[in-house]
Amino acid sequence: MKEHEYLHNKSQPVEDVVSPSKRISVFRSQTFFLMVVIVILSVLFGTLNPRFLSQGNLLAVFQQIAVLGIATMSMTLLLISGGIDLSIGSMIGLSGVVICKMVMAGISPFWAILAGFLLPIGCGLINGVIVSKSKCVPLIVTLGMSYVYYGLALVISGGLFLSLRGHFTFLGRGRFLGIPVSVMVLFVVVLVVHFMLRNTKFGRRLVVMGGNEQVAFLSGINVDRLKIASYTLSGVLIGLASLVLISRLGNILANAGEGYELRALASAIIGGVTFEGGRGSVLGAFLGVVLLGIVQNGLNILNVSSYFQTFTVGLIIVVAVVVSNLEKLRRR
């Protein structure tokens, strides 16, 4: 299939581009399933504790998932294009450490923040060049790079607790018209990524590459250049996520971003994005993040043990992966 056949109908959803021969009922889609689960859980938690459905608590849920949501958009972008990046957590930690170190050294917060934002972009560019030019498995390459970035963060920080000294609180803790700024940033990122994948030539080329790299190459797409661009763009989102995190925390350790890569991966998979590439939607990934946020917040309000919370989140991930695989089994 030629590139123009994929790019012709810009109104066609990402999922349909990959499977044009079969129109899946909305009511059988994983996105609809997630919406139902989220509504049921919200009603359940709200019944057990009316505080759960209060405006303040719901805003707190979205504020808590803001960093994870942005990181999930980064992971979704890569998964749909056939890639993956397990170093995003270390990038977040490295960016935060650099910002705090520069501020503590007396450098203007503006330049520190700019450096902290640009650093993950450079890391993404490096990851993209290595993955595209070496032809190695992205999972292994980025796993190795996660240790590189984490090691750099340890070297720079000396393993010490670093502080932002009260600077730059607006992005993480500020409010505009009563709504947390970090929540606004999250929604803007979700909308931009959604628009890019559905309505731009670049986004649709990412989908084509993720669906079948060989077809993308034969269609005239410069696969290597597109991979580098996707990892660099992922770095832009991670730079933004790190700014939100450091602004909210005000202090940071080298391992501040630890676990974000796996939670972002889990959220995307819960939302129906697959490892095979070319399938999934931004809305589904966003709902995956919301589901995790609601579960954790609801269990916190009910004073459930953190050990049981970990068990529950793991169980949700396994069930989501099995459910997302059912459609694949039906096609065989």
Side-chain angles (χ1 to χ4, degrees):
M1 184 175 290
K2 294 181 179 180
E3 180 191 2
H4 67 81
E5 294 176 349
Y6 285 103
L7 306 180
H8 177 65
N9 186 1
K10 295 185 177 181
S11 63
Q12 194 175 8
V14 168
E15 291 165 323
D16 291 350
V17 170
V18 182
S19 303
S21 62
K22 189 175 182 180
R23 188 178 297 278
I24 300 173
S25 168
V26 172
F27 298 103
R28 290 171 56 195
S29 71
Q30 189 158 341
T31 301
F32 179 75
F33 173 74
L34 275 174
M35 288 180 179
V36 172
V37 172
I38 289 172
V39 170
I40 292 175
L41 286 178
S42 299
V43 172
L44 176 64
F45 288 135
T47 303
L48 295 174
N49 189 330
R51 262 197 321 125
F52 177 81
L53 292 176
S54 66
Q55 180 182 347
N57 185 63
L58 293 179
L59 282 177
V61 170
F62 281 99
Q63 195 169 16
Q64 289 167 359
I65 64 172
V67 176
L68 177 60
I70 298 170
T72 300
M73 292 302 108
S74 165
M75 188 65 80
T76 299
L77 191 70
L78 290 174
L79 286 173
I80 288 178
S81 65
I84 191 172
D85 193 342
L86 295 184
S87 68
I88 61 175
S90 296
M91 285 187 207
I92 291 174
L94 178 59
S95 171
V97 162
V98 168
I99 292 173
C100 289
K101 192 73 175 179
M102 291 177 71
V103 169
M104 293 175 71
I107 298 174
S108 165
F110 172 80
W111 295 113
I113 292 166
L114 182 62
F117 177 67
L118 294 177
L119 188 58
I121 299 176
C123 294
L125 175 63
I126 293 171
N127 288 352
V129 170
I130 295 175
V131 168
S132 62
K133 299 301 179 185
S134 71
K135 311 299 181 188
C136 293
V137 179
L139 187 144
I140 304 301
V141 171
T142 56
L143 179 63
M145 292 307 293
S146 72
Y147 285 96
V148 173
Y149 300 141
Y150 178 55
L152 281 174
L154 284 173
V155 170
I156 294 172
S157 67
L160 300 175
F161 204 67
L162 302 180
S163 172
L164 202 54
R165 293 182 172 176
H167 295 290
F168 189 51
T169 59
F170 178 72
L171 191 60
R173 286 178 270 177
R175 285 177 177 260
F176 183 72
L177 299 177
I179 301 174
V181 176
S182 57
V183 176
M184 293 182 175
V185 172
L186 169 62
F187 278 99
V188 169
V189 167
V190 171
L191 290 175
V192 169
V193 175
H194 175 74
F195 178 83
M196 185 197 71
L197 284 176
R198 286 178 61 112
N199 299 288
T200 68
K201 190 174 181 179
F202 173 75
R204 299 179 73 80
R205 283 185 169 184
L206 289 180
V207 177
V208 174
M209 183 175 69
N212 191 320
E213 191 173 312
Q214 187 66 22
V215 168
F217 176 76
L218 294 175
S219 299
I221 296 174
N222 189 325
V223 173
D224 284 354
R225 187 182 301 172
L226 196 58
K227 279 186 182 178
I228 294 172
S230 65
Y231 276 89
T232 305
L233 184 57
S234 168
V236 173
L237 297 177
I238 294 305
L240 191 56
S242 65
L243 293 186
V244 173
L245 180 66
I246 186 61
S247 175
R248 190 177 75 197
L249 297 178
N251 303 286
I252 202 164
L253 280 169
N255 65 351
E258 184 179 357
Y260 272 106
E261 65 282 352
L262 294 182
R263 279 182 285 164
L265 183 61
S267 300
I269 291 173
I270 290 173
V273 182
T274 66
F275 279 109
E276 289 84 1
R279 290 186 61 230
S281 68
V282 171
L283 175 61
F286 175 69
L287 291 176
V289 180
V290 173
L291 177 62
L292 287 184
I294 284 178
V295 169
Q296 291 191 325
N297 182 272
L299 295 179
N300 276 331
I301 282 185
L302 298 177
N303 293 319
V304 175
S305 161
S306 61
Y307 301 149
F308 187 74
Q309 290 184 32
T310 303
F311 166 82
T312 305
V313 171
L315 193 61
I316 290 173
I317 294 171
V318 173
V319 170
V321 171
V322 172
V323 169
S324 67
N325 200 45
L326 290 179
E327 181 61 31
K328 181 180 176 182
L329 293 176
R330 277 196 290 267
R331 289 200 301 268
R332 288 179 177 175

